[in-house]
Amino acid sequence: MKAVGVVVEYNPFHNGHYYHVQQSKLNTNADVVIAVMSGHFLQRGEPSLVSKWHRTKMALQSGVDAVIELQYVFSTGNATQFAEGAIFLLSAIQCESFAFGSEQGDIEPFLNTANLIEEHADEYNFLIKEFVSSGLSYPVSLYKAYEQLKQKKNQLYIDLSKPNNILGYHYIAAAKKLNCSIKPVTFMRIGAGYHDDIQKDSSIASATGIRKALLDEGNLESSKAYLPEASYKELLLWQQQFGKFVHWEAFWPLLKYAIMRYTPEDLTAFADVSEGIEYALLKHAKNSESFSEFMSSIKSKRYTWTRLQRMLTHLYTGVTKE
Amino acid sequence: MKAVGVVVEYNPFHNGHYYHVQQSKLNTNADVVIAVMSGHFLQRGEPSLVSKWHRTKMALQSGVDAVIELQYVFSTGNATQFAEGAIFLLSAIQCESFAFGSEQGDIEPFLNTANLIEEHADEYNFLIKEFVSSGLSYPVSLYKAYEQLKQKKNQLYIDLSKPNNILGYHYIAAAKKLNCSIKPVTFMRIGAGYHDDIQKDSSIASATGIRKALLDEGNLESSKAYLPEASYKELLLWQQQFGKFVHWEAFWPLLKYAIMRYTPEDLTAFADVSEGIEYALLKHAKNSESFSEFMSSIKSKRYTWTRLQRMLTHLYTGVTKE
């Protein structure tokens, strides 16, 4: 029996994910699809809309054969850690391949990019450091270093400004680093862009768009067209039981309290808290009435929104560096 | 200039406290009254109804000349620690005397009791231990040991079942232990008993009764007759700003979260958490929807309500044994 692995968050499981599951099977002739899925906290340092159990039910009722939880330390790590945890698990349970949707759609440019960066790792890291020192954000520095590296050889490379290409690159780099024989497969994503709002004329919408509709309007009906029946049902059950979907904003009183329990020194014991941000955390936690107000106060060019959210996730859950 | 000290919580400052301030001056011919007052958390392990700043304003506008905060470690300690912290402060700032209201009303029986217990300290502690081992609660054991001790000499002693006599005894025992020259003065309390509800036919009501009226009914007007003008005004300001008065119940989501952040082992690092109660704390925090439900679940003969509340205060504020 052949298994294809997929790396997912399913927040929530929507028609695009359904298509991804089907395409993964088709492109690999696999008998079963195994999903490695984030738990309650996701890679961008956010709580999931509904519990991991609700999300698992959605997946199992829509074509996924098994769901394995990606452990917290990987699911809330940076892209490299996230990918390594996921590919390690898929490889360990002997998936023959793993499949991901991408803006690129062909696997060759991914392999070229992964080889290029691997071969020139030192130079690549040096360039990134230079750009960061010059005051650019980490993602922009990374992108600029890559653009420079691409001049080395006349090959087809992926566009690393596209979010799903970035994820795919990390999966492939992880497989190389872990020396796994698991085979990477990609196909073109269809429908919505990663960050697009719900498009009224298609059955595919991005998870970001669906979340926005659910959180901002609290209106599940407007997302119905973009969800498999099982997803709609699970979301409806959640809404009936808890009244609303989960967002950082609802955790703000607890997070504020968690931060204010500590001295600046204590705060640095928590994972990802470093470089003096503990003082800003304490100062602004005290004065902020909402999560968004707090985030706006601590946000700076040095810290991306995602990096801050991951740090706050660790503070919230109490995960220390140790 | 002569100063008399008083030990207070002013939660809130009411007509009985006003009488106490006046009597303290009259009975000692003092020029000024200095109050040592608990901060945001009180001796029974509860948050105060309004902030310590609001309570200080009430006092300063009603005849108290200065308010000194009793440090957290004393204000949330047991009666002995509370009294020692307070008497130490009053003595350190050179109050000539300290004055307290009591059910007894005369100082002689207080001094007799303090001498009796001091002289037979070993026997007293042995008796208490015996009674506790036999399954009685700590307060009851203490009372029974005292009854036995009183047979030693034919003197007038205080009734140690009365709450204000108990407090007074601890003040005097503290002054003896600290070897302070500060002079104890007492006078009879008038009006309401310690735990009595508001009496409709008097201008004096107990703080407990007033708190009950404010918390249960949220109706400040019904307490107006028992409060000096300044207290009423401060309470009204608080109510207008925050909508309600402070009670453990409002802190429950935060306290629950604080407990659930930790492992049983971690919990034992906090002050007063011992003897295996950490398992009960974790188990019942998870399942309780309110503070009262939680307290009912963890309450046992071994732990008085007050002892549990002090323990929870330390967990809430993050104060460790260290």
Side-chain angles (χ1 to χ4, degrees):
Chain A
M1 196 166 75
K2 277 170 65 172
V4 59
V6 292
V7 184
V8 302
E9 299 211 299
Y10 292 161
N11 187 38
F13 190 101
H14 56 59
N15 288 342
H17 294 128
Y18 181 78
Y19 173 82
H20 174 217
V21 171
Q22 300 310 314
Q23 286 294 313
S24 298
K25 261 176 140 168
L26 272 175
N27 280 277
T28 59
N29 281 317
D31 303 296
V32 294
V33 178
I34 314 264
V36 165
M37 187 181 84
S38 303
H40 287 135
F41 281 89
L42 310 177
Q43 207 262 328
R44 272 180 288 176
E46 288 174 338
S48 58
L49 217 52
V50 298
S51 84
K52 60 188 179 188
W53 296 287
H54 284 75
R55 284 153 53 223
T56 299
K57 281 190 193 160
M58 294 177 193
L60 294 180
Q61 291 174 78
S62 301
V64 174
D65 297 286
V67 174
I68 301 173
E69 181 172 353
L70 182 62
Q71 294 95 323
Y72 176 90
V73 67
F74 298 115
S75 75
T76 62
N78 62 31
T80 303
Q81 296 160 332
F82 180 85
E84 286 180 9
I87 298 302
F88 176 80
L89 279 178
L90 292 177
S91 176
I93 57 165
Q94 303 184 328
C95 286
E96 207 185 55
S97 58
F98 66 92
F100 58 95
S102 63
E103 292 84 359
Q104 174 63 45
D106 303 311
I107 202 68
E108 207 55 35
F110 277 96
L111 301 175
N112 291 340
T113 291
N115 286 333
L116 177 75
I117 292 179
E118 191 187 29
E119 280 163 22
H120 303 88
D122 289 346
E123 186 179 348
Y124 185 53
N125 291 326
F126 174 79
L127 287 170
I128 294 169
K129 241 183 205 166
E130 288 281 292
F131 286 125
V132 167
S133 306
S134 80
L136 294 173
S137 78
Y138 186 75
V140 171
S141 302
L142 209 127
Y143 181 74
K144 289 192 68 130
Y146 175 58
E147 287 303 304
Q148 211 159 310
L149 231 55
K150 285 200 309 196
Q151 312 305 320
K152 301 262 176 200
K153 268 190 215 168
N154 190 14
Q155 281 188 316
L156 201 56
Y157 297 111
I158 54 169
D159 176 354
L160 268 186
S161 71
K162 306 284 188 201
N164 289 282
N165 284 351
I166 297 175
L167 283 173
Y169 159 72
H170 282 290
Y171 300 148
I172 288 166
K176 280 173 82 79
K177 185 178 166 191
L178 297 168
N179 207 16
C180 300
S181 60
I182 193 167
K183 186 186 159 210
V185 173
T186 192
F187 44 84
M188 187 89 72
R189 276 171 61 92
I190 55 153
Y194 196 67
H195 292 297
D196 295 351
D197 287 358
I198 286 181
Q199 304 292 319
K200 287 267 157 63
D201 53 351
S202 154
S203 69
I204 307 265
S206 74
T208 306
I210 293 170
R211 282 197 296 277
K212 195 160 171 261
L214 293 181
L215 289 168
D216 291 358
E217 303 159 29
N219 183 357
L220 181 53
E221 294 311 310
S222 70
S223 298
K224 197 171 180 179
Y226 310 103
L227 300 167
E229 182 60 25
S231 290
Y232 174 76
K233 207 188 72 194
E234 288 300 322
L235 290 169
L236 190 63
L237 282 173
W238 178 277
Q239 197 177 38
Q240 284 166 349
Q241 190 175 355
F242 301 107
K244 59 182 174 184
F245 297 102
V246 180
H247 183 266
W248 261 126
E249 215 55 79
F251 293 171
W252 174 240
L254 299 181
L255 178 63
K256 174 176 179 160
Y257 169 64
I259 293 169
M260 291 180 64
R261 280 175 75 80
Y262 299 104
T263 62
E265 199 192 359
D266 289 342
L267 283 176
T268 61
F270 291 96
D272 292 356
V273 179
S274 58
E275 300 166 16
I277 195 160
E278 61 273 20
Y279 299 99
L281 294 179
L282 267 173
K283 180 180 161 198
H284 295 296
K286 193 173 174 183
N287 299 324
S288 296
E289 293 298 319
S290 68
F291 182 76
S292 59
E293 186 187 340
F294 178 62
M295 284 294 285
S296 307
S297 305
I298 59 172
K299 180 87 182 62
S300 67
K301 206 158 64 183
R302 180 166 207 165
Y303 291 95
T304 62
W305 193 273
T306 300
R307 187 172 163 202
L308 286 171
Q309 287 199 149
R310 283 194 209 117
M311 180 190 297
L312 296 174
T313 298
H314 300 319
L315 267 169
Y316 183 78
T317 56
V319 171
T320 60
K321 294 192 173 81
E322 187 189 340
Chain B
M1 195 168 72
K2 278 171 63 175
V4 58
V6 292
V7 184
V8 302
E9 299 210 301
Y10 293 161
N11 186 38
F13 191 102
H14 55 59
N15 287 342
H17 293 129
Y18 181 78
Y19 173 83
H20 174 216
V21 170
Q22 299 310 314
Q23 285 296 312
S24 299
K25 261 176 140 167
L26 273 175
N27 281 276
T28 59
N29 282 317
D31 303 296
V32 294
V33 179
I34 315 264
V36 165
M37 186 181 83
S38 303
H40 287 137
F41 281 89
L42 311 176
Q43 206 262 328
R44 273 180 287 176
E46 288 175 339
S48 59
L49 218 51
V50 299
S51 84
K52 61 189 180 188
W53 297 288
H54 285 75
R55 283 152 53 220
T56 300
K57 280 191 192 160
M58 294 177 193
L60 294 180
Q61 291 174 79
S62 301
V64 174
D65 296 286
V67 174
I68 300 172
E69 180 171 354
L70 181 62
Q71 295 95 322
Y72 175 90
V73 67
F74 298 115
S75 75
T76 61
N78 62 31
T80 303
Q81 296 160 331
F82 180 85
E84 286 179 10
I87 298 302
F88 176 81
L89 279 178
L90 291 177
S91 176
I93 58 165
Q94 303 184 327
C95 285
E96 207 185 54
S97 58
F98 66 92
F100 58 96
S102 62
E103 292 83 359
Q104 174 61 44
D106 303 312
I107 202 66
E108 207 56 35
F110 277 97
L111 301 175
N112 291 341
T113 292
N115 287 333
L116 177 74
I117 291 179
E118 191 187 30
E119 280 164 22
H120 302 89
D122 289 346
E123 185 179 347
Y124 185 52
N125 290 326
F126 174 80
L127 286 170
I128 294 170
K129 242 184 206 165
E130 287 282 291
F131 287 125
V132 166
S133 306
S134 79
L136 295 173
S137 78
Y138 187 76
V140 170
S141 302
L142 210 127
Y143 182 74
K144 290 192 68 133
Y146 175 58
E147 288 303 304
Q148 210 160 311
L149 231 55
K150 284 200 309 196
Q151 312 305 320
K152 301 263 177 201
K153 269 190 213 167
N154 190 14
Q155 280 188 319
L156 201 56
Y157 296 112
I158 55 167
D159 176 355
L160 267 187
S161 71
K162 306 283 188 201
N164 290 282
N165 284 351
I166 297 175
L167 283 173
Y169 159 71
H170 282 290
Y171 300 149
I172 288 165
K176 279 173 83 80
K177 184 178 167 191
L178 297 168
N179 207 16
C180 300
S181 61
I182 193 168
K183 186 186 158 210
V185 174
T186 191
F187 44 84
M188 188 89 73
R189 277 171 62 93
I190 54 152
Y194 196 67
H195 292 296
D196 296 351
D197 287 357
I198 286 181
Q199 303 292 320
K200 289 267 157 65
D201 53 350
S202 153
S203 69
I204 307 264
S206 73
T208 306
I210 293 170
R211 280 198 296 278
K212 195 160 171 264
L214 292 181
L215 289 168
D216 291 358
E217 302 158 31
N219 182 358
L220 181 54
E221 294 311 310
S222 69
S223 299
K224 196 171 179 179
Y226 312 102
L227 300 168
E229 181 60 26
S231 290
Y232 174 76
K233 207 189 71 196
E234 289 300 322
L235 290 169
L236 191 63
L237 282 174
W238 178 277
Q239 197 177 37
Q240 284 166 349
Q241 190 175 354
F242 301 107
K244 60 182 174 183
F245 298 102
V246 181
H247 184 267
W248 262 125
E249 215 55 77
F251 292 172
W252 174 239
L254 299 181
L255 177 61
K256 174 176 180 160
Y257 168 65
I259 294 170
M260 290 180 65
R261 280 175 75 80
Y262 299 105
T263 62
E265 199 192 359
D266 288 343
L267 284 175
T268 62
F270 291 97
D272 292 356
V273 178
S274 57
E275 300 167 15
I277 196 160
E278 61 273 19
Y279 298 99
L281 294 178
L282 267 174
K283 180 180 160 195
H284 294 297
K286 193 173 175 184
N287 299 324
S288 297
E289 293 299 318
S290 68
F291 182 76
S292 59
E293 186 188 340
F294 179 62
M295 284 294 284
S296 307
S297 306
I298 59 173
K299 179 89 180 61
S300 66
K301 206 157 66 183
R302 180 166 207 167
Y303 291 94
T304 63
W305 191 274
T306 300
R307 187 173 163 203
L308 286 171
Q309 286 199 149
R310 283 195 208 116
M311 180 190 297
L312 296 174
T313 298
H314 300 317
L315 267 169
Y316 183 78
T317 56
V319 170
T320 59
K321 294 191 173 82
E322 186 189 340

